[in-house]
Amino acid sequence: MAKQERAIRTRNALVESAAALFDRDGFEVASLATISARAGVSSGALHFHFPSKAALADAVVAAAGERLVRITREREALPLQTVIDASHELVQCLRSDAVLRAGFDLSAAPERARTARDLRRQWREWVESLVLRSEQAGLLAPDVAARDVAAAVVAVAAGHEALGHQDPSWLERAPLTRFWAFVLPRVVGAARVGLFVASGDPEAEPAPAPVAETGAVPGTGAAPETGAVPGARTATAPEPAPGPGVAAEARP
Amino acid sequence: MAKQERAIRTRNALVESAAALFDRDGFEVASLATISARAGVSSGALHFHFPSKAALADAVVAAAGERLVRITREREALPLQTVIDASHELVQCLRSDAVLRAGFDLSAAPERARTARDLRRQWREWVESLVLRSEQAGLLAPDVAARDVAAAVVAVAAGHEALGHQDPSWLERAPLTRFWAFVLPRVVGAARVGLFVASGDPEAEPAPAPVAETGAVPGTGAAPETGAVPGARTATAPEPAPGPGVAAEARP
């Protein structure tokens, strides 16, 4: 294995390990010794790549930002359907990907993590731009404002994320599908509800999964080692999407 | 001052101080020495009242629970208007009251705080019961399900709370008012929107403010002493309620 390739693998393993421990124990409590041990590298190697815990936090947020860019990519769909699809993908990824989860947490607590990048803002601005495009295309109901739709979507996604910390069922596909089925008639008008799939487009390609650079630290949410909260924050097998029937139910 | 009264004051000062420091620094980082110093009591007095930091966390969650009970009290209003009013009051109180904020945080992170009471569940069950009563009274639109309305309200309130950690403008009255104005036509049907005030009932009595037992630790969110994030999580003067005009705007 080339030297450079090995360095990239080591760095990625450290980022995954730091994310899993920040996510499980919090930024302040997670120790550099545990992070390097979990990544299977020496503490010297850790310090070679990251001079401080704050630098590790920055790297976790940057990696989460790259995943958010994949989630919010353009799709071959109506702009609002792209928002629906991405909202499902974001919530699914928050359930299964410790890097994304720790990155959102770190970037939401600037006073603690000293990191500059703002993932929530990145997500919010993307949602706003797509909803605005829907409005400009005449695809929103005439008596709703694009910014109110965007604010509701951003708040609901943040709410599912926050509630999912304690009760992972909020991060399943069904609750967000019910939200979209509930809100779509108001957003687009009853006549256009049939254009949209509340459960997310089942034909949409899932975003390419982040490539695990080492087998040591899987990208899925760290299996709880404390045993304190069984099931909480653990990745579970995705349930089958309820499919377009859910959107159809919402037709008045 | 009677001995018992002095003990109650000391205990309350410790709970307020612990809440302010848990809120600012996190449960793990906040130290018992800082908590007792900020409360203006000796560390001996702290240990007399609370054998451990976990016992302090329990007391903060219990105090927050009492405030939540005040917020979710019965009012002379339609059940759904009571939910609207209480959602505004909860978000306002989360902005200004470190005990409520720390209590919600602690009770949302069971693996860290080891506290049994679940404030989010208490809030969610209350919302569900009131929305169900609205449905039974025939006051929901015929094609919406009570549980979907309740889930959206709970998720949106949690989202405003989570987003407010970073950007306090989410905890102002206006964003939640816009959410209610946006969603009410879908929830109750266009014809009944005029029965409700999206900004919260301006005639409703505010919940009695928690009595500050000492002048040492005001119940308002601790003014940031680090200076790291000016304005974040700091109580600001409430803006005037937009009033019923906002609800009227939403009439189709």
Side-chain angles (χ1 to χ4, degrees), chain B residues 163-185:
Chain B
L163 295 164
H165 284 198
Q166 195 174 359
D167 176 359
S169 70
W170 282 97
L171 300 181
E172 289 168 8
R173 189 173 287 269
L176 194 57
T177 298
R178 284 202 302 274
F179 169 74
W180 278 114
F182 160 66
V183 87
L184 268 173

Side-chain angles (χ1 to χ4, degrees), chain A residues 23 28-29 107-108 111-112 118 120 124 143 147-148 155-156 159-160 166 170 178 182 185-187 229 252, chain B residues 23 28-29 107-108 111-112 118 120 124 143 147-148 155-156 159-160 166 170 178 182 185-187 229 252:
Chain A
D23 183 46
E28 302 288 354
V29 171
S107 110
E111 75 279 11
R112 285 179 210 164
D118 186 341
R120 288 172 189 276
R124 180 184 177 177
D143 62 335
R147 73 163 183 171
D148 293 344
V156 161
H160 282 240
Q166 195 175 359
W170 282 97
R178 285 203 300 273
F182 160 67
R186 174 74 182 128
V187 174
V229 189
Chain B
D23 184 47
E28 301 289 354
V29 171
S107 110
E111 75 278 12
R112 285 179 210 167
D118 187 340
R120 287 171 191 276
R124 180 185 178 178
D143 61 336
R147 73 163 183 171
D148 292 345
V156 161
H160 282 239
Q166 195 174 359
W170 282 97
R178 284 202 302 274
F182 160 66
R186 174 75 181 127
V187 174
V229 188

Side-chain angles (χ1 to χ4, degrees), chain A residues 113-164:
Chain A
R114 303 157 206 90
T115 185
R117 187 156 176 181
D118 186 341
L119 297 183
R120 288 172 189 276
R121 185 190 191 121
Q122 184 178 329
W123 162 248
R124 180 184 177 177
E125 289 176 350
W126 181 81
V127 171
E128 283 170 352
S129 70
L130 277 266
V131 175
L132 203 61
R133 244 201 278 163
S134 299
E135 187 178 53
Q136 285 158 352
L139 286 169
L140 292 196
D143 62 335
V144 297
R147 73 163 183 171
D148 293 344
V149 175
V153 171
V154 168
V156 161
H160 282 240
E161 180 205 342
L163 295 164

Side-chain angles (χ1 to χ4, degrees), chain B residues 22 27 32 46-47 49-58:
Chain B
F22 292 160
F27 174 78
L32 293 177
L46 185 153
H47 287 286
H49 286 282
F50 301 102
S52 67
K53 197 154 75 164
L56 259 173
D58 279 340

